[in-house]
Amino acid sequence: RPRTIQPLSAHHPSRASPRSMGGANSVGEPKEENKLAGPRPASERGCTDVLCLGAFIAFWVGMLVICGLSVSNGDINAITYGADYKGNRCGVGEYADRPRTIYPRIEEDLYEQRRFIQERKPWLIKLYGLCVRGCTSPSAVKINDRGVVKPTVVENYHWVDGSSSTAVDGRPRWQLFLPEVEVLNRCFPYANEENEETIYCFKPTCKSVGQPCALKGDGDDRSWELKSSLTQEERDQCEVVKRVTDGAEFFPYQQSAMREFVTGQLGSFLGFIEAMNVSRLQIGVCSLVFTFVLCYTWMIAMRFVARIVIYLMLVLMFVVLSAAVAITFTYACFLRNDEVYNCTAAEQRAVSYAGVTLENTDVFRAGFFVCLVFWIFYVLSIIKLQRAIETCIAIVKESSVVVGHMPTLMTIPFGATALAVGVFAYFTYISIYIATAGQDDYEEFQRQFDRAGGYASVVAQDNTNTQYFLFCYHLFGTLWSLSFLVGTVCMIVAGGVAQWFFFRDDKDQRSTFPILASAQTTFRYHLGTVAFGSLLIAICQMLRILLEYIDQRSKSLQESNLVARLVLRCVKCCMWCLEKCLKFITGYAYIYTAIEGMGFCNAAKSTFVLIMKYPAQVYINHMVQFILKLLQSVTVPLMTGIYCYYWVREARNPQPMYAALICIIISFFVTRIFASVYEVIIESIFVCAFRDRDKYDAVHTPASIRKAFGMDQRAGQRQPLKANGQDSAASPPPKPAPAPAQPAPVQAAPAEPVANY
């Protein structure tokens, strides 16, 4: 349908009328529709959702008040240093020369206070401790040739002969037979093991090579020792090696499960920490630098291999679903064939979960029908939605083009990660102060908070509730801040991608630094919208945490009440679904805000319109995004881990598997951040392309996406709109039809050109 081109002033902010230039000093959403094909210019924007931004700032003011009061009342040394059994802090004051804390009777303390472990309150456990200058090293409890260990003796400096009692002060001195590992200036014992290993050659025999038979007295007249004094030529004669070990291990005779963990697992932890320290260079380079290179290469390569990768993964998903249908069909015993599966024995087995017992075959029958429904839905989707798949492939390819044209996009994950780590570190730091404030400190804290205008005495009736209230407030602020950071990154990326999409061929409108321009617009006008969306997500996350807390605290009730257990499971599942839906809606709402400058509610409304108008395309896009994110999150960390393993092993550092494991974990989180940014780029291209198709006949859309739309020839004949809104290839305006003669006006306005989009 022919559409009238808007006048030049509608597209150039510098030539716009004063009435249209309200953005710089206005609050609220723009009243007029965006007349520019691309993102709304700053002169037409207003500050959106200002009240939410004010609430976010006010909440952070409260967090800073809690920060100041917590730091003044808390004790960070309670985390970094232990205390002796009389409450004296080691490493502080008169005990400054004794910074370490040992626990000579940790087994008895854990047994006597086992109820705190059963109630899942391990922080209430009080251990008998003594301040010492250093932990017991392996050399201090060296095992001699006869397998005897000399203990280390620690004096009880609080013991006074005649007045001290064993019930309160324990013993005047303690003997330590086990070496200790240091964790936060606290010394924990671990199993002490010392092995001696000797390597012998079993074949050829000692007589055939002219070497002394080293084990003749033990009944072995063949083996000879591979001494270090032998030449390499003599050692190379050996074909079969015999390894003989002789060792001794010391550990407590009466060990509980907790003591076995303390003495055994901490020994492995010590070796783990040592391996990490030696291989820190390899871990850092592989998990950060190598991961960045692989992720960037992945995004660029998708421009050329997106079709192959996506179709291969779709076929793989079909194979997995088909295998699931076949396996559940066989195990459900619809067709009884004992040669394939013993159905008679399977029917006698049962599965119990949450107090409900079902036969094994009934579980697989239910699983079969569920898998069959998914299989049918998946097959029909692949068959009927070929054009949607081709459109998604084209969008993925163009997203890789965006990454190549705007490499500054790759700096965003690092900045976002650094800020997120900073927020998490702040949360951890202040939480320590909140947790370490004493009961007297909380009474003073409550009075200070009330004087500052708070209502701690109303919310918290005792000191414990005050602590919980402050921690919950602090936790919610952290969740809100983290979601706020994610939303800000999403909006900045979306604005930069929209700039590229609509103005990549327009030198007049194209920004030299689109990411910086988008960041300026976001910080100037739309932080309130980000605060609105992140608030909804934070509320949902906080409710999920509270539900998890209720779940952990009501285990006894759930064991006796099946209905309570099922209701709690259902509520937790619903809250998980709600959080996923909120993240989906807010993600698209941020994109619409970056393009149109609208508030959160209208942006969410536009998101629902998009979903209802193109449900198949939205479904295919998110299925493909899930596939690509899963593939990237598996391949990149595995490649970095394998490379780190061989690098550490080549350097002859200890425990290369530990280094590879840490590298894989760090690389996984870094990869997920890059994959999330790539998802935002794909979703932004999707919104821009369909907006351009609906409003402007896809004249700004890249050729590959136009071809996937099935309108390549029709839309490709046109050139993108210029800054003044005119089609560069538009034909001259048609001559007006003859009209009856009328008196000429004083000054006639020029006729507007007409073009078809």
Side-chain angles (χ1 to χ4, degrees):
R1 188 176 63 182
R3 204 176 287 171
T4 303
I5 299 292
Q6 299 296 332
L8 188 63
S9 63
H11 299 278
H12 273 290
S14 60
R15 306 181 187 181
S17 61
R19 180 175 299 178
S20 65
M21 295 183 60
N25 298 309
S26 65
V27 175
E29 302 180 45
K31 303 300 181 182
E32 300 179 358
E33 184 180 356
N34 185 13
K35 300 174 183 178
L36 191 64
R40 185 183 293 273
S43 60
E44 298 180 6
R45 293 178 183 259
C47 297
T48 55
D49 301 306
V50 179
L51 292 179
C52 293
L53 180 60
F56 182 73
I57 295 174
F59 200 93
W60 255 99
V61 170
M63 290 184 66
L64 293 177
V65 172
I66 292 177
C67 170
L69 297 178
S70 299
V71 170
S72 62
N73 294 307
D75 183 14
I76 193 66
N77 292 325
I79 300 299
T80 55
Y81 294 101
D84 63 12
Y85 68 94
K86 286 186 175 293
N88 300 307
R89 185 67 56 194
C90 301
V92 178
E94 61 177 312
Y95 298 96
D97 59 338
R98 300 178 180 181
R100 312 292 187 266
T101 307
I102 63 168
Y103 304 100
R105 44 165 293 171
I106 186 173
E107 173 70 19
E108 293 81 356
D109 292 336
L110 293 176
Y111 179 78
E112 292 172 358
Q113 304 175 69
R114 59 189 181 277
R115 69 182 183 89
F116 293 132
I117 301 177
Q118 296 171 352
E119 296 175 358
R120 296 179 177 85
K121 296 180 179 179
W123 58 88
L124 296 179
I125 296 176
K126 304 297 182 183
L127 298 178
Y128 178 97
L130 291 172
C131 298
V132 295
R133 289 183 172 84
C135 299
T136 305
S137 63
S139 60
V141 289
K142 186 70 175 179
I143 304 172
N144 60 21
D145 297 337
R146 295 177 295 172
V148 178
V149 61
K150 181 181 179 181
T152 300
V153 179
V154 176
E155 297 288 340
N156 184 353
Y157 44 84
H158 289 302
W159 185 273
V160 178
D161 293 334
S163 60
S164 298
S165 64
T166 56
V168 177
D169 299 291
R171 304 175 186 173
R173 60 189 58 83
W174 296 87
Q175 293 182 340
L176 306 179
F177 290 88
L178 300 178
E180 296 170 325
V181 57
E182 179 183 337
V183 179
L184 293 176
N185 289 310
R186 294 162 173 85
C187 305
F188 296 97
Y190 65 94
N192 186 19
E193 181 180 1
E194 183 172 297
N195 289 319
E196 293 183 0
E197 182 181 80
T198 308
I199 306 299
Y200 300 92
C201 182
F202 187 75
K203 180 183 179 183
T205 64
C206 52
K207 296 180 180 180
S208 62
V209 297
Q211 295 291 339
C213 300
L215 299 177
K216 192 172 183 179
D218 297 331
D220 183 357
D221 57 354
R222 297 176 52 91
S223 302
W224 48 282
E225 185 177 357
L226 291 174
K227 300 179 180 180
S228 58
S229 59
L230 297 178
T231 64
Q232 188 63 36
E233 182 179 356
E234 291 174 330
R235 297 171 65 88
D236 291 342
Q237 298 180 68
C238 185
E239 300 177 11
V240 179
V241 171
K242 179 179 180 180
R243 179 181 288 109
V244 177
T245 61
D246 184 18
E249 182 177 1
F250 286 81
F251 53 87
Y253 174 70
Q254 296 179 345
Q255 293 196 101
S256 65
M258 180 63 71
R259 185 60 179 261
E260 289 181 0
F261 170 79
V262 172
T263 59
Q265 298 299 324
L266 285 180
S268 301
F269 176 75
L270 181 62
F272 177 80
I273 295 298
E274 181 183 1
M276 296 305 97
N277 183 48
V278 174
S279 305
R280 59 185 181 275
L281 173 62
Q282 290 84 351
I283 294 174
V285 172
C286 292
S287 61
L288 297 178
V289 179
F290 195 37
T291 300
F292 171 80
V293 173
L294 286 179
C295 289
Y296 190 76
T297 304
W298 166 275
M299 295 181 183
I300 298 298
M302 291 305 296
R303 180 178 181 181
F304 308 100
V305 299
R307 182 182 302 276
I308 299 174
V309 172
I310 291 174
Y311 274 111
L312 281 178
M313 294 301 297
L314 291 176
V315 171
L316 181 61
M317 287 188 64
F318 172 78
V319 172
V320 171
L321 287 175
S322 301
V325 171
I327 292 173
T328 53
F329 179 83
T330 301
Y331 287 178
C333 295
F334 288 111
L335 297 177
R336 305 179 71 89
N337 186 351
D338 291 339
E339 295 181 359
V340 178
Y341 183 67
N342 190 350
C343 294
T344 304
E347 290 174 348
Q348 298 176 358
R349 293 192 294 266
V351 177
S352 297
Y353 178 74
V356 180
T357 302
L358 297 173
E359 291 186 3
N360 200 27
T361 53
D362 292 338
V363 175
F364 281 107
R365 286 191 183 101
F368 166 75
F369 287 111
V370 172
C371 293
L372 183 62
V373 170
F374 276 102
W375 186 87
I376 294 174
F377 182 77
Y378 181 78
V379 171
L380 292 178
S381 301
I382 299 301
I383 295 175
K384 296 294 184 181
L385 303 178
Q386 279 295 314
R387 173 160 291 182
I389 295 175
E390 290 296 325
T391 302
C392 183
I393 293 174
I395 291 174
V396 171
K397 289 183 177 180
E398 290 302 323
S399 300
S400 298
V401 174
V402 173
V403 174
H405 286 183
M406 292 193 298
T408 52
L409 279 171
M410 294 300 99
T411 62
I412 294 180
F414 289 102
T417 303
L419 291 175
V421 171
V423 171
F424 183 77
Y426 174 82
F427 166 76
T428 304
Y429 189 71
I430 301 302
S431 297
I432 292 173
Y433 277 105
I434 294 176
T436 55
Q439 296 298 317
D440 296 336
D441 295 328
Y442 275 116
E443 294 177 359
E444 178 63 23
F445 181 94
Q446 188 171 335
R447 290 191 293 269
Q448 294 178 8
F449 195 77
D450 290 337
R451 287 196 298 268
Y455 301 95
S457 59
V458 178
V459 180
Q461 300 299 324
D462 55 49
N463 296 329
T464 303
N465 290 337
T466 302
Q467 185 179 17
Y468 287 152
F469 166 73
L470 296 178
F471 180 77
C472 289
Y473 187 98
H474 190 59
L475 175 61
F476 181 79
T478 302
L479 295 175
W480 194 358
S481 301
L482 291 175
S483 298
F484 185 85
L485 286 176
V486 174
T488 304
V489 169
C490 179
M491 189 173 292
I492 292 174
V493 172
V497 172
Q499 279 276 345
W500 174 89
F501 185 92
F502 289 100
F503 302 138
R504 63 187 182 279
D505 298 324
D506 191 342
K507 296 181 179 179
D508 296 333
Q509 292 288 334
R510 185 175 58 199
S511 175
T512 306
F513 302 102
I515 296 299
L516 293 179
S518 177
Q520 182 180 3
T521 302
T522 300
F523 286 113
R524 174 63 181 84
Y525 299 106
H526 303 305
L527 288 182
T529 300
V530 178
F532 196 162
S534 58
L535 173 62
L536 297 179
I537 296 176
I539 291 175
C540 187
Q541 291 174 338
M542 191 67 183
L543 291 177
R544 289 190 64 196
I545 293 175
L546 292 177
L547 284 174
E548 189 64 33
Y549 177 78
I550 294 173
D551 186 15
Q552 296 298 323
R553 299 290 294 171
S554 61
K555 290 296 184 182
S556 58
L557 174 63
Q558 296 180 50
E559 291 175 358
S560 59
N561 193 327
L562 176 61
V563 175
R565 183 162 59 251
L566 293 178
V567 169
L568 188 58
R569 295 290 189 278
C570 292
V571 173
K572 289 173 65 176
C573 180
C574 292
M575 291 303 300
W576 178 83
C577 294
L578 178 61
E579 182 183 354
K580 294 298 180 183
C581 293
L582 285 176
K583 288 183 176 180
F584 174 84
I585 294 171
T586 54
Y588 276 97
Y590 294 151
I591 296 174
Y592 274 105
T593 300
I595 298 174
E596 298 287 355
M598 56 181 61
F600 182 82
C601 293
N602 284 331
K605 178 182 177 182
S606 299
T607 301
F608 282 109
V609 171
L610 178 72
I611 297 172
M612 298 302 296
K613 194 172 184 179
Y614 304 106
Q617 190 64 57
V618 173
Y619 159 70
I620 291 295
N621 285 357
H622 279 269
M623 183 177 67
V624 171
Q625 289 177 30
F626 171 77
I627 292 173
L628 295 179
K629 193 172 186 178
L630 177 64
L631 182 62
Q632 185 179 5
S633 300
V634 171
T635 55
V636 172
L638 282 180
M639 293 176 65
T640 56
I642 293 173
Y643 184 78
C644 181
Y645 174 82
Y646 284 104
W647 188 4
V648 172
R649 194 177 72 169
E650 187 68 21
R652 300 186 182 277
N653 292 346
Q655 302 294 345
M657 187 59 68
Y658 286 161
L661 180 61
I662 291 297
C663 182
I664 289 175
I665 294 174
I666 298 176
S667 177
F668 173 79
F669 286 105
V670 175
T671 303
R672 297 287 287 187
I673 294 174
F674 277 90
S676 299
V677 173
Y678 195 55
E679 277 188 337
V680 175
I681 298 174
I682 293 175
E683 292 170 354
S684 302
I685 293 289
F686 165 56
V687 172
C688 292
F690 279 78
R691 176 179 178 273
D692 187 44
R693 187 180 78 166
D694 293 342
K695 290 189 175 183
Y696 307 106
D697 206 16
V699 296
H700 306 87
T701 305
S704 61
I705 303 180
R706 288 202 303 266
K707 183 177 180 180
F709 284 159
M711 56 189 305
D712 181 56
Q713 185 175 0
R714 178 163 61 96
Q717 295 174 352
R718 311 186 187 281
Q719 300 295 328
L721 292 178
K722 294 297 183 182
N724 60 1
Q726 296 184 1
D727 195 329
S728 61
S731 57
K735 295 182 179 180
Q742 295 181 359
V746 178
Q747 185 176 1
E752 295 181 354
V754 178
N756 295 332
Y757 295 14

